[in-house]
Amino acid sequence: MNCFFSGTESHPVHVDVLPKARIGEAKPPIIMLHGGFHTGAAWLATPDGRPGWARYFAQQGHDVYVPDWPGHGRSPSPAPLEQLSTRQVADAIAVLVAQVG
């Protein structure tokens, strides 16, 4: 698993990348978004340690991107979390979507 930062300059987003496990037919990438007050880790493994949905889709031949919203998980936030607007989250994720294609 690799990782990188995406998002906006004021609201960076940490992204885990699970590259596709199969060689062959090109399948579209998948971006797995978590809900509020969670992190991308919810897609990486189940609470009891089994592989999560991100690994399943990577095994099916998709590149899988698992971001943490700005201010969540490993994504830093310059402002208190309660001041983060829906627009700021959407703008940061939109940058990732443009990068992934």
Side-chain angles (χ1 to χ4, degrees):
M1 182 168 28
N2 300 315
C3 63
F4 66 94
F5 279 91
S6 183
T8 62
E9 188 174 319
S10 59
H11 294 93
V13 173
H14 179 273
V15 182
D16 287 312
V17 182
L18 289 82
K20 61 186 170 195
R22 286 191 197 176
I23 297 175
E25 176 187 347
K27 294 188 176 182
I30 295 175
I31 299 174
M32 303 190 84
L33 299 176
H34 63 80
F37 303 106
H38 291 276
T39 70
W43 298 114
L44 300 175
T46 63
D48 62 0
R50 290 175 292 133
W53 285 109
R55 295 190 192 285
Y56 170 80
F57 285 110
Q59 290 170 347
Q60 301 308 307
H62 297 270
D63 289 325
V64 181
Y65 298 84
V66 182
D68 287 338
W69 284 13
H72 290 70
R74 292 166 286 173
S75 295
S77 180
L81 182 60
E82 65 273 6
Q83 294 177 5
L84 186 66
S85 73
T86 303
R87 170 56 95 190
Q88 291 167 322
V89 172
D91 288 346
I93 299 299
V95 172
L96 173 62
V97 171
Q99 284 178 310
V100 171

